[in-house]
Amino acid sequence: MAWLIQRGERPDARHDERHLELWTMPRTGGSLRMVTRLPAGAGDYTKGFQVTGDLAVWWGFNGAWSVPLAGGEPRRILPEGALRVTSWPWGYDRSRRSVVNLLTRQENKARHLDDTEGLYCGPAWCVGRVTGRPHEAVQVVMQHVDGSGRTTVPGFPLALMPPIRDRFALLHPLAVSRDGSGTPVVKKQAFPAV
């Protein structure tokens, strides 16, 4: 078993003592062991995490890294800003609208999405929004990377989030396009305390 733990604190804007630690433990039980530690700004590292074979792989907006579960120094496997890992080993290249296997370099172009903005694709599904006419509900588009299985539902997709495990899409509540640009007007709701 392996997990990432964020530790430390940020006393003020000049000092950041936060860091990220990778710990392992045998499934059968036993002692915990720290494998490695990453420096300050740990929140930027943790948009995803996966154990694959004898490696721990994690990614965030600052890139992607791997480290052997046996220990060692983390190795950067994807630089900052190159591709966004969506589900290891797949990454999405927003500029090319392609899903890329980071191990084999297989590339799948996202198709039939010319009317879609804010697009983000995982290995199988893409999620984006369709700009509507002024004062209409913003529509979320979900479809396979190859363009098949397209469906549209009211809502607003969370930024940079393809469907989780290619099954679940996270959406904001219903929003209305103010002027047809896709910029939503979200009505804030107050909920009573329980």
Side-chain angles (χ1 to χ4, degrees), residues 67-86:
V67 68
L69 291 173
E73 288 297 313
R75 180 177 70 91
R76 184 183 284 265
I77 52 179
L78 188 63
E80 177 180 352
L83 300 170
R84 298 287 165 94
V85 176
T86 55

Side-chain angles (χ1 to χ4, degrees), residues 2 22 50-51 66 151 170 177:
L22 172 66
Q50 188 167 332
V51 172
S66 70
T151 188
L170 297 177
S177 179

Side-chain angles (χ1 to χ4, degrees), residues 48-184:
F49 173 71
Q50 188 167 332
V51 172
T52 175
D54 63 347
L55 291 177
V57 180
W58 64 96
W59 55 89
F61 294 124
N62 288 345
W65 297 264
S66 70
V67 68
L69 291 173
E73 288 297 313
R75 180 177 70 91
R76 184 183 284 265
I77 52 179
L78 188 63
E80 177 180 352
L83 300 170
R84 298 287 165 94
V85 176
T86 55
S87 177
W88 186 256
W90 296 94
Y92 180 60
D93 184 333
R94 292 185 74 179
S95 63
R96 296 172 49 130
R97 288 193 163 193
S98 297
V99 180
V100 179
N101 184 308
L102 300 170
L103 298 176
T104 66
R105 295 297 181 204
Q106 171 190 348
E107 183 174 352
N108 301 323
K109 286 278 194 190
R111 309 244 182 253
H112 309 298
L113 289 161
D114 295 333
D115 63 340
T116 308
E117 293 183 359
L119 184 67
Y120 208 70
C121 296
W125 288 91
C126 293
V127 174
R129 68 179 183 275
V130 176
T131 57
R133 293 186 303 223
H135 309 292
E136 283 187 341
V138 175
Q139 299 290 308
V140 175
V141 172
M142 292 178 278
Q143 71 175 49
H144 289 284
V145 174
D146 67 6
S148 66
R150 183 175 176 131
T151 188
T152 305
V153 296
F156 194 78
L158 288 176
L160 304 177
M161 286 291 293
I164 299 167
R165 301 266 186 219
D166 281 322
R167 293 187 63 190
F168 303 103
L170 297 177
L171 307 176
H172 285 287
L174 186 62
V176 175
S177 179
R178 181 183 332 219
D179 56 6
S181 68
T183 303

Side-chain angles (χ1 to χ4, degrees), residues 3-5 7 19-23 34 36-38:
W3 58 95
L4 293 170
I5 299 172
R7 302 189 75 155
H19 62 274
L20 195 68
E21 298 172 352
L22 172 66
W23 289 77
M34 188 171 78
T36 194
R37 178 179 168 159
L38 293 171

